[in-house]
Amino acid sequence: MLAYVIRRIFVGVAMLLAMSLVTFTLFFASPVDPAQYACGKNCSPVQREQARKALGYPSRGEGVWESNIKGPAEMWGTFAKGIVKGRQFPADEELRKAAPENVVDCAAPCFGYSTYSIRTVNEMVGEALPVTFSIALAAVILWIFFGVLIGVLAAVTKGSFLDRGIVGTSLFLYAFPSFFIGTFLLTYISIKWSLYPLPSYTSIADGGVGTWASNLLLPAVTLAMLYMAGYVRMTRAFVLESQAEDYVRTARAKGLATRKVLFKHALRAALTPLVTMAGLDFASVLGGAIITESIFNFNGLGKLAVSANTNYDLPVLIGIVLIAGAFVITANIIVDILYAFIDPRVRVG
Amino acid sequence: MSTAPTPYLSVQDLKVHFPTPDGIVKATDGLSFDLERGKTLGIVGESGSGKSVSSSAILGLHRGSSAQVSGHILLDGVDLLELSNEDMRKMRGRDVSMIFQDPLSAMHPYYTVGNQLVEAYRVHNKVTKKEARARAVEMLDRVGIPNPDKRIGDYPHQFSGGMRQRAMIAMGLINDPGLLIADEPTTALDVTVQAQILDLLQDLQREFNSAVIIITHDLGVVAEMADDVLVMYAGRAVEHGPCKEILTHPEMPYTWGLLSSVPDVSGDTNARLLPIPGSPPSLLNPPTGCAFHPRCLHRDKVPGDLCRTELPPLVVGTRIGSHLKRCHLSDPDSIYESEVLPEIAPDLVDEIVADKATDNAADDAEGAR
Amino acid sequence: MTFEEYVPGAADDHEPATMADMLTVAGNAAAVAPVGAAPILEVDKLRMYFPVKSPGLLRRTVGHVQAVDGVSFQVVEGGSLGLVGESGCGKSTTGRLITRLYTPTSGAIRFQGEDIAHAKARQLKPLRRDIQMIFQDPYTSLNPRHTVGAIIGAPLAIHKILPKKQILPRVQELLEIVGLNPEHYNRYPHEFSGGQRQRIGIARSLTLQPKLLVADEPVSALDVSIQAQVVNLLQDIQREFGVAFLFIAHDLAVVRHFCPEVAVMYLGKIVEIGDRDSIYNNAHHPYTQALLSAVPDVRQAATGGRRERIRLEGDVPSPIDPPSGCRFRTRCPIAQEICARHEPPLLQIGQRHKVACHFPGRLGEAPREPLTSGLLGVDREGRPDPGASPSTDLVEQPGFADTWFDLDKKTIGRV
């Protein structure tokens, strides 16, 4: 098992490297010159080249990239080196010498420096990540707890009005986009009817767990709604499926109480596919977080990604892509480890 | 029959119907039989004959589903169909237990064999985990699993097919039930393992003195295991009686078909197998009259259209009182001997004729009493 | 003459003492199997090892599942050979090797004289017409989204044998052959019962008029009353079209009914092979005997009581790490020390009967001394015997030789 996990981590790191390389290549393949963009509209060629140096991008000749291949590859090399060894900014040595008071140290693992925001990517991501992670975590807890609970309820009352009601409602909610739910919660629950205070992110360090959690409720509900409906239906299907299994019949034939048959035997088996889904969804929650964060004005990774994208802020983009990738890969490895815990057939050959 | 001991299990007019959008599926339609402790009943039939559904009904496994069950299932005088769900649950595994066809899927893959045995014991006995574990080890040892105190911690997938079925048997017998239902217990196993399991079941039955119902499609298994045989077709009993009687003097063309369609390890290889034509009927819309009539090769021997129009009652056959059959044929034994037997086992004809002389003498003696 | 002196192939040196000897050596060979027909399939020392990878970082190959380990046999034109054995004995793998769904690790598969064991995909295409397979499960082996007509007609289209227009009449003809309504070509598999689906599978396998059909458990998924219908259909097909069969099944009675020749497999090896009578009435291998005695018999009811069976203890060992010497020895009631040391060669003991056992004999009549020690050049416990030299031309061949060692008379038997 350990060997397997180590192998998976190796593969994961290789994948992250490949992802960063692809992001670099895509970025430089775009027709927009980030130096021009940073420099502004009325920018002389000299200023532009200075901006380029400050940004640390390889220079390009008239009209086309001077080193279409060499440029990104070289940059990627420095980037990769920065992750391992750390870097100093500005990237250009002359600039560093010219203004030593402006030099920023970025310790390993260094993801880069955003000239646009005049901060290191590590700092920016470090601020945004807890926000997104908090929302995602709260949402995952909500949607798994209620999704599975309601799904099991629907499965055991299969065919009843309750079951049909649950299935119908979940389908209804599933059809609503999260920006609708989020906007609804914000404008009506918080603002118009004042049923719940307007949320703003407070870290645990600043306000304690209670404040942290209460501020997360509305964004988390918004995000959880998107997934919960699916989990209700999936759980219902998985539980129904496992209830038809031979070993559940055996459990009943042994004389076990219905509750024990359900929770010890049927649900345990239904858990396996749910864990897979939950792991992958948790990883992909970043995408959903963008909308939620925008609606509630939380400064999370989602918002950061949007602004980095509109500003052609390559270092930040790369940083976020890598964080998101690491999220997916880690979630997958965790799912695999959980699998071994749940299913002894994986654990003991 | 009046002198016979009160049967341990008495199933009377059992009906299991499943309502579906297309109509009612009569999986079991009026099944009756008795079974004493220490005896084995073999229920034979093809898929869809209602044999598994009937046994699940005895265990009350239909409860909580849409099935409509009627009739009486008297176990030691208690009608299982009248019990509350909770009382029935307490009977399951303690008084009636069941082992299933495929031991791999019948055991939970995520729990150790020991865990599942301990659980089965502790449901019905107020004992500590340690005591239950000791009991589980004892049972595993009894069913012939080597190193039971070590293997008890294994998961089902670490057992071989035969060992899994042994463990299932151990689980079924851990509370010493009076009735054990074995649903195709050896179908998923290899022949040499099947022989081991059948031997084990016989030994344990003798030891525990339980009543056993063995459900199978294999007449060979029935011949080796059962005291009585019940042949089912389309949800009804079509022939019922002592094993030897049914297998040597079957009086229902379906039973003939079952016998003639299976080759024998010692039979004549030049003889052609005589299959039953057609396929098993739909239970949603079973044939009128005798459900077997569309596939019956001897329908022409019954006057008129009786087979098609009228369901034959389950009545005493032509030979002995305990042999029941559901067929309109008036002289099935002679048809069997003259038409069926020569085709399937010509070497047996002489034997049976000789047998008959002694049997008749015995019957006469019985009649005189 | 003793068994030790007998060397297959070299037997011509030993002249029978008298004319009378020659006339009375009918010996163990009893039933007459199809003699004279040329072999259509010859399998020679076929091996299939599936690698087992280690769970560690490097995933090295740490062992092999020896699914099929040196199997040799022949199937004659229009004949049928039954392969029986318990699960994991390699019978299905053998079937898949012959249809080249797998590529064997080593050995030869000679079909009509041509070795196809390692033929490339392109060379295999014509072969696929001649060797067809019938699968066990009629529910999963037919594509549920294709009509029956498309399933049966597909081989004709793939091999471009008939123009499109003529495919339908051929499909209907095939449906009629297998006893289905030709009008039903437009239906989907789920509209048919299990038995009918198996008929569809058979029709599909017949489309290209194969010369050899590999039937892998063709009836075991079917209801009892339907099994007989399918067995009869296969027999009719064999009679009418002269197709040779390799009939793989675990049901000894069905195999006996269908196949004049039978091979019994255990853990990847053939332990006994011969004509029907040799295997079922004159079995000389303890495994064959145990297998036969384990089959429940309907006639048991007539005699009543419990039948004495040979009880095999335990389970089949893992094919990853099979026992040394004879693979059956761990469960064998008559195993001795030599069995752990040496693998018994498959020796011909009748006109059409070979057995791989150090102590071959009818039930209860097994010899006390190993019959093979001389051939292997060892003493009775299997230790190297300095006095004896192993027979060098102890070569296993797929077919049967004209001479054999008669166990009852301790003489050379001849055709």
Side-chain angles (χ1 to χ4, degrees):
Chain A
M1 190 68 210
L2 188 69
Y4 174 73
V5 172
I6 292 172
R7 190 165 63 233
R8 286 293 305 268
I9 291 173
F10 266 118
V11 174
V13 170
M15 272 169 69
L16 285 178
L17 286 177
M19 272 168 62
S20 62
L21 191 60
V22 169
T23 319
F24 265 95
T25 316
L26 282 176
F27 184 82
F28 284 102
S30 105
V32 181
D33 182 355
Q36 176 78 57
Y37 190 86
C39 185
K41 229 176 185 177
N42 308 314
C43 181
S44 72
V46 179
Q47 283 173 319
R48 193 182 63 205
E49 285 316 305
Q50 268 176 351
R52 194 190 308 288
K53 264 188 186 169
L55 288 166
Y57 295 148
S59 79
R60 60 168 166 181
E62 283 304 312
V64 283
W65 288 99
E66 194 173 66
S67 47
N68 239 342
I69 300 153
K70 196 186 162 199
E74 205 181 280
M75 253 195 92
W76 184 76
T78 11
F79 169 79
K81 213 166 129 190
I83 288 193
V84 184
K85 286 187 161 172
R87 283 164 80 183
Q88 281 191 326
F89 293 100
D92 194 274
E93 215 179 316
E94 287 169 34
L95 288 174
R96 280 208 300 273
K97 272 183 189 160
E101 70 280 4
N102 286 346
V103 169
V104 179
D105 263 317
C106 178
C110 180
F111 287 101
Y113 182 81
S114 166
T115 340
Y116 201 85
S117 311
I118 331 180
R119 297 167 77 194
T120 60
V121 175
N122 297 40
E123 263 172 34
M124 297 168 73
V125 170
E127 267 169 32
L129 186 62
V131 179
T132 305
F133 190 79
S134 299
I135 297 178
L137 190 71
V140 164
I141 291 171
L142 278 179
W143 93 56
I144 288 186
F145 182 76
F146 287 105
V148 172
L149 192 77
I150 297 171
V152 171
L153 197 64
V156 293
T157 57
K158 189 195 166 216
S160 70
F161 281 110
L162 181 63
D163 172 39
R164 277 181 228 175
I166 290 172
V167 171
T169 314
S170 68
L171 192 66
F172 181 73
L173 288 175
Y174 200 51
F176 278 107
S178 69
F179 60 77
F180 176 85
I181 296 171
T183 318
F184 172 83
L185 288 178
L186 188 72
T187 44
Y188 282 85
I189 305 286
S190 268
I191 298 172
K192 250 192 177 160
W193 301 334
S194 299
L195 294 174
Y196 200 87
L198 197 65
S200 72
Y201 181 77
T202 324
S203 71
I204 299 181
D206 288 346
V209 179
T211 327
W212 171 76
S214 67
N215 274 305
L216 281 174
L217 186 72
L218 290 191
V221 166
T222 308
L223 192 52
M225 281 293 187
L226 186 71
Y227 291 93
M228 202 168 78
Y231 274 69
V232 168
R233 296 170 66 83
M234 287 294 180
T235 308
R236 181 178 177 275
F238 291 144
V239 170
L240 285 180
E241 194 180 308
S242 76
Q243 275 187 325
E245 292 281 355
D246 280 2
Y247 50 78
V248 171
R249 184 181 55 177
T250 310
R252 295 185 63 209
K254 280 199 267 194
L256 294 185
T258 319
R259 186 185 301 262
K260 195 152 192 194
V261 173
L262 177 68
F263 285 103
K264 185 174 170 187
H265 291 264
L267 199 55
R268 171 93 190 256
L271 221 55
T272 320
L274 279 175
V275 163
T276 317
M277 278 181 50
L280 298 178
D281 282 343
F282 184 66
S284 69
V285 94
L286 273 182
I290 294 176
I291 293 163
T292 319
E293 285 165 9
S294 306
I295 292 168
F296 291 94
N297 203 22
F298 275 37
N299 291 315
L301 276 183
K303 267 188 87 175
L304 192 62
V306 173
S307 68
N309 214 15
T310 46
N311 297 333
Y312 295 93
D313 198 349
L314 177 66
V316 177
L317 267 182
I318 302 273
I320 290 171
V321 164
L322 287 188
I323 290 283
F327 238 66
V328 174
I329 288 165
T330 317
N332 264 306
I333 294 174
I334 290 173
V335 163
D336 281 350
I337 295 171
L338 277 178
Y339 247 69
F341 268 102
I342 296 173
D343 191 342
R345 286 172 296 186
V346 178
R347 191 167 61 232
V348 278
Chain B
M1 290 298 274
S2 57
T3 53
T6 9
Y8 181 67
L9 171 72
S10 178
V11 172
Q12 293 159 12
D13 197 27
L14 178 67
K15 287 181 181 164
V16 185
H17 292 180
F18 295 94
T20 69
D22 301 322
I24 291 174
V25 172
K26 298 176 177 176
T28 304
D29 205 17
L31 183 69
S32 302
F33 62 85
D34 290 348
L35 184 60
E36 288 162 35
R37 280 196 95 128
K39 295 281 181 197
T40 303
L41 171 72
I43 301 184
V44 185
E46 296 176 273
S47 49
S49 63
K51 53 193 201 309
S52 290
V53 169
S54 311
S55 54
S56 293
I58 296 174
L59 230 69
L61 291 180
H62 59 274
R63 289 171 189 241
S65 76
S66 61
Q68 301 161 348
V69 184
S70 65
H72 301 282
I73 301 172
L74 298 168
L75 187 78
D76 220 1
V78 180
D79 192 338
L80 299 184
L81 292 182
E82 313 231 302
L83 291 178
S84 71
N85 282 346
E86 179 60 13
D87 287 338
M88 184 65 231
R89 178 188 72 72
K90 285 181 182 156
M91 300 281 277
R92 267 183 230 140
R94 192 186 66 192
D95 299 287
V96 199
S97 68
M98 191 156 177
I99 53 177
F100 300 98
Q101 174 174 349
D102 182 0
L104 181 59
S105 62
M107 296 191 107
H108 203 298
Y110 295 173
Y111 296 106
T112 62
V113 172
N115 184 327
Q116 301 186 48
L117 261 83
V118 163
E119 182 185 60
Y121 191 55
R122 291 190 76 200
V123 185
H124 301 294
N125 297 280
K126 290 242 169 290
V127 291
T128 62
K129 274 194 179 158
K130 210 176 159 192
E131 286 168 309
R133 188 177 184 274
R135 169 76 177 158
V137 172
E138 180 195 330
M139 283 309 294
L140 286 179
D141 188 41
R142 179 60 201 87
V143 296
I145 287 178
N147 302 325
D149 51 335
K150 277 203 192 113
R151 300 307 301 262
I152 195 168
D154 280 358
Y155 289 93
H157 73 272
Q158 292 169 292
F159 274 34
S160 70
M163 291 219 298
R164 276 193 286 263
Q165 195 58 292
R166 283 170 192 271
M168 274 301 288
I169 292 173
M171 192 155 84
L173 293 177
I174 200 163
N175 294 308
D176 193 4
L179 173 64
L180 178 71
I181 301 171
D183 189 354
E184 304 263 10
T186 58
T187 308
L189 305 174
D190 282 318
V191 276
T192 59
V193 181
Q194 163 169 295
Q196 292 172 358
I197 297 292
L198 293 182
D199 278 348
L200 177 69
L201 276 174
Q202 281 178 323
D203 289 343
L204 290 171
Q205 177 179 28
R206 214 162 295 155
E207 189 179 319
F208 288 76
N209 193 35
S210 13
V212 172
I213 296 177
I214 184 160
I215 298 166
T216 179
H217 64 273
D218 187 337
L219 286 169
V221 169
V222 161
E224 304 223 339
M225 295 287 292
D227 300 297
D228 282 349
V229 181
L230 179 74
V231 182
M232 286 191 77
Y233 189 79
R236 290 198 182 89
V238 293
E239 197 154 13
H240 182 194
C243 182
K244 183 181 174 186
E245 170 68 21
I246 299 287
L247 293 185
T248 53
H249 298 281
E251 297 193 3
M252 161 78 197
Y254 176 62
T255 318
W256 299 345
L258 284 182
L259 284 165
S260 69
S261 55
V262 188
D264 192 90
V265 265
S266 50
D268 179 10
T269 47
N270 290 323
R272 206 172 151 74
L273 297 179
L274 296 174
I276 305 171
S279 319
S282 145
L283 294 173
L284 194 60
N285 199 3
T288 55
C290 172
F292 185 61
H293 86 261
R295 304 175 74 190
C296 186
L297 297 169
H298 302 275
R299 198 173 37 170
D300 53 337
K301 299 187 184 72
V302 175
D305 220 3
L306 215 53
C307 293
R308 201 174 57 78
T309 54
E310 208 168 306
L311 174 70
L314 189 66
V315 293
V316 173
T318 54
R319 284 166 45 83
I320 59 170
S322 54
H323 184 161
L324 305 175
K325 55 133 192 183
R326 190 190 289 280
C327 183
H328 286 305
L329 284 175
S330 56
D331 190 13
D333 209 33
S334 66
I335 297 175
Y336 179 65
E337 269 164 36
S338 63
E339 288 186 34
V340 185
L341 205 53
E343 295 275 3
I344 60 172
D347 49 320
L348 271 189
V349 177
D350 303 334
E351 225 174 281
I352 295 250
V353 171
D355 222 33
K356 202 173 180 178
T358 51
D359 269 9
N360 282 344
D363 282 352
D364 291 346
E366 202 172 296
R369 240 184 285 146
Chain C
M1 148 157 210
T2 64
F3 204 87
E4 282 81 2
E5 294 161 32
Y6 165 66
V7 173
D12 280 22
D13 303 338
H14 302 269
E15 284 295 321
T18 61
M19 202 60 189
D21 268 1
M22 280 188 75
L23 291 173
T24 52
V25 285
N28 284 30
V32 181
V35 183
I40 187 165
L41 175 75
E42 205 167 67
V43 170
D44 199 354
K45 293 184 216 66
L46 195 61
R47 278 195 172 76
M48 185 71 216
Y49 287 10
F50 295 101
V52 181
K53 301 280 187 193
S54 76
L57 268 181
L58 298 170
R59 304 196 59 71
R60 278 165 306 176
T61 301
V62 288
H64 288 96
V65 175
Q66 307 180 4
V68 176
D69 194 14
V71 160
S72 305
F73 58 80
Q74 277 183 345
V75 180
V76 296
E77 264 171 39
S80 54
L81 175 75
L83 273 186
V84 293
E86 298 180 277
S87 49
C89 72
K91 55 187 194 301
S92 287
T93 309
T94 307
R96 277 151 199 245
L97 284 169
I98 286 160
T99 45
R100 278 302 310 280
L101 296 175
Y102 298 146
T103 302
T105 309
S106 71
I109 304 167
R110 282 186 285 275
F111 181 72
Q112 295 183 314
E114 187 194 346
D115 188 357
I116 58 166
H118 297 277
K120 300 266 180 321
R122 189 186 301 180
Q123 299 164 295
L124 279 174
K125 204 175 173 191
L127 180 84
R128 301 253 185 252
R129 294 172 58 172
D130 288 338
I131 305 180
Q132 283 287 327
M133 192 152 184
I134 300 170
F135 296 94
Q136 169 175 6
D137 190 346
Y139 293 88
T140 55
S141 57
L142 301 177
N143 188 332
R145 293 185 217 297
H146 288 181
T147 63
V148 165
I151 291 170
I152 299 175
L156 293 171
I158 291 167
H159 289 270
K160 300 194 185 73
I161 287 166
L162 286 177
K164 265 205 169 140
K165 271 188 187 168
Q166 289 169 39
I167 288 182
L168 182 60
R170 172 73 179 143
V171 165
Q172 292 186 318
E173 187 190 333
L174 285 161
L175 282 172
E176 204 153 5
I177 289 172
V178 297
L180 293 173
N181 187 340
E183 300 303 312
H184 290 172
Y185 68 90
N186 238 347
R187 298 194 175 182
Y188 287 88
H190 69 87
E191 297 175 70
F192 294 88
S193 70
Q196 288 171 324
R197 274 183 239 201
Q198 194 58 299
R199 287 173 190 269
I200 296 167
I202 293 169
R204 183 203 53 76
S205 72
L206 289 177
T207 310
L208 296 173
Q209 296 169 311
K211 299 192 175 90
L212 175 69
L213 272 175
V214 175
D216 190 357
E217 301 273 10
V219 297
S220 57
L222 304 175
D223 260 324
V224 188
S225 69
I226 308 299
Q227 287 191 3
Q229 294 177 5
V230 173
V231 169
N232 282 349
L233 172 64
L234 292 177
Q235 276 188 328
D236 290 344
I237 285 166
Q238 177 164 42
R239 206 160 302 144
E240 198 156 325
F241 303 102
V243 191
F245 271 83
L246 181 67
F247 194 96
I248 300 164
H250 69 278
D251 187 330
L252 289 150
V254 169
V255 168
R256 177 176 179 275
H257 184 83
F258 195 85
C259 306
E261 301 220 339
V262 180
V264 182
M265 287 185 73
Y266 185 82
L267 264 182
K269 290 198 180 283
I270 289 180
V271 296
E272 192 159 10
I273 182 169
D275 54 17
R276 182 189 286 142
D277 201 51
S278 302
I279 299 293
Y280 285 87
N281 301 331
N282 197 21
H284 273 60
H285 197 284
Y287 178 64
T288 314
Q289 291 158 358
L291 213 52
L292 284 169
S293 89
V295 180
D297 189 354
V298 184
R299 292 170 194 220
Q300 187 61 25
T303 50
R306 203 157 147 183
R307 196 161 50 97
E308 268 315 305
R309 303 190 188 98
I310 306 168
R311 292 184 179 210
L312 282 190
E313 298 298 327
D315 292 302
V316 182
S318 158
I320 297 174
D321 187 21
S324 65
C326 173
R327 295 189 170 187
F328 182 58
R329 70 174 166 87
T330 51
R331 302 172 75 198
C332 182
I334 58 166
Q336 292 186 24
E337 260 175 74
I338 185 175
C339 302
R341 292 207 171 92
H342 293 280
E343 193 187 316
L346 192 62
L347 289 176
Q348 189 164 344
I349 59 164
Q351 186 177 354
R352 301 193 77 77
H353 190 188
K354 289 190 198 176
V355 65
C357 180
H358 292 297
F359 304 93
R362 293 190 189 89
L363 191 54
E365 295 173 18
R368 293 199 169 170
E369 297 287 316
L371 279 162
T372 48
S373 55
L375 286 171
L376 297 164
V378 293
D379 67 8
R380 63 181 299 269
E381 273 162 7
R383 291 190 193 84
D385 186 351
S389 57
S391 167
T392 45
D393 30 12
L394 192 67
V395 187
E396 284 180 22
Q397 55 181 40
F400 293 97
D402 291 341
T403 57
W404 62 91
F405 186 77
D406 190 303
L407 287 177
D408 291 340
K409 301 198 171 60
K410 309 276 185 260
T411 52
I412 295 292
R414 264 165 214 280
V415 177

